[in-house]
Amino acid sequence: MTLPTIIFLPGLLCDEQLWRRQVSDLGNVAPVLVADLTQDDTIATMAQRVAALASGQFAIVALSMGGYVAFELLRYFPDRIVGAALLDTSAAARLAGIKSRALGRFTGVTSRLLPQLVHHRHLGGPVAQDVREMALRVGGEAYVRQQRAILGRVDSRPYLSNIAVPTLIGVGAEDVLTPLPESEVLHSNIPDASLHVFKECGHLPPLEKPEETTVLLRNWLMKSVLSV
């Protein structure tokens, strides 16, 4: 039997470093890939690029902006997707009022922005360094493309009840960008979804809680996705 590919979808200003522990630890479960979400300026074209990565069925593991791409994939490629893990993301459309700030001068992840991304215990350590380095690698041009895509995305809330694959929802208890109520909306509207809250964690569980994230994903994949 051919196993479905696990495709990891990074968040804004993130690259494969976000998922390095999970890619390493889950490579013995099924084939794994990390999508590049830096090349396109619409969520739809990001989704098309992701769908082209795998020739057959695949499971999605997405964080934040990657979740917006996941919703697009679930709408347009439902027969190819066998499961979706949605971490620290929202189905609601972004308000247009942030447009001027979002498309402003690129400054990377500043000391002012960092507390919005990670729990305070990580502000001076290697997790913070990883976040800053990812943002610099992604760079300003890709940041503008990603923000245009985010600002132009559709409201996915009306489609949540149509999701018919095993769905895992995870969120950091101290996530200030997509707080717990956003994940509770997903949990209450996606049929048979499960919800996990990472304690003492901000917006980036794969970096802040790598072991817990890996165990959570492994159990979900083995019990709900790859066993089907």
Side-chain angles (χ1 to χ4, degrees), residues 37 40 42-52 69-70 72-73 77:
L37 302 184
D40 305 292
T42 71
I43 297 299
T45 51
M46 289 180 182
Q48 291 287 343
R49 189 181 296 273
V50 172
V69 179
E72 189 82 5
L73 288 163
F77 302 95

Side-chain angles (χ1 to χ4, degrees), residues 40-187:
D40 305 292
D41 63 1
T42 71
I43 297 299
T45 51
M46 289 180 182
Q48 291 287 343
R49 189 181 296 273
V50 172
L53 289 175
S55 58
Q57 292 185 311
F58 55 94
I60 309 163
V61 180
L63 181 135
S64 194
M65 182 191 74
Y68 314 153
V69 179
F71 292 128
E72 189 82 5
L73 288 163
L74 286 160
R75 279 197 297 275
Y76 290 100
F77 302 95
D79 295 337
R80 294 187 57 200
I81 298 172
V82 296
L86 307 169
L87 306 184
D88 297 82
T89 194
S90 168
R94 180 73 62 92
L95 294 176
I98 69 164
K99 187 172 183 178
S100 60
R101 176 175 62 85
L103 298 180
R105 183 172 62 89
F106 176 72
T107 55
V109 174
T110 63
S111 297
R112 183 177 179 180
L113 176 60
L114 193 59
Q116 299 181 52
L117 294 173
V118 299
H119 190 270
H120 64 82
R121 65 192 178 94
H122 293 300
L123 292 178
V127 170
Q129 186 65 24
D130 278 344
V131 173
R132 290 192 177 99
E133 290 176 356
M134 284 194 298
L136 292 177
R137 285 195 298 271
V138 170
E141 291 183 3
Y143 169 74
V144 170
R145 287 193 291 270
Q146 290 179 333
Q147 285 286 18
R148 285 188 175 133
I150 291 170
L151 291 165
R153 79 185 193 268
V154 302
D155 189 335
S156 293
R157 288 173 294 183
Y159 305 98
L160 295 178
S161 62
N162 296 329
I163 296 176
V165 297
T167 303
L168 169 67
I169 299 158
V171 62
E174 284 75 45
D175 187 347
V176 298
L177 292 181
T178 53
L180 179 57
E182 297 282 353
S183 291
E184 290 173 336
V185 169
L186 303 182
H187 182 229

Side-chain angles (χ1 to χ4, degrees), residues 2 4 16 38 125 169 171 192-193:
T2 302
E16 65 275 3
T38 67
I169 299 158
V171 62
D192 300 319

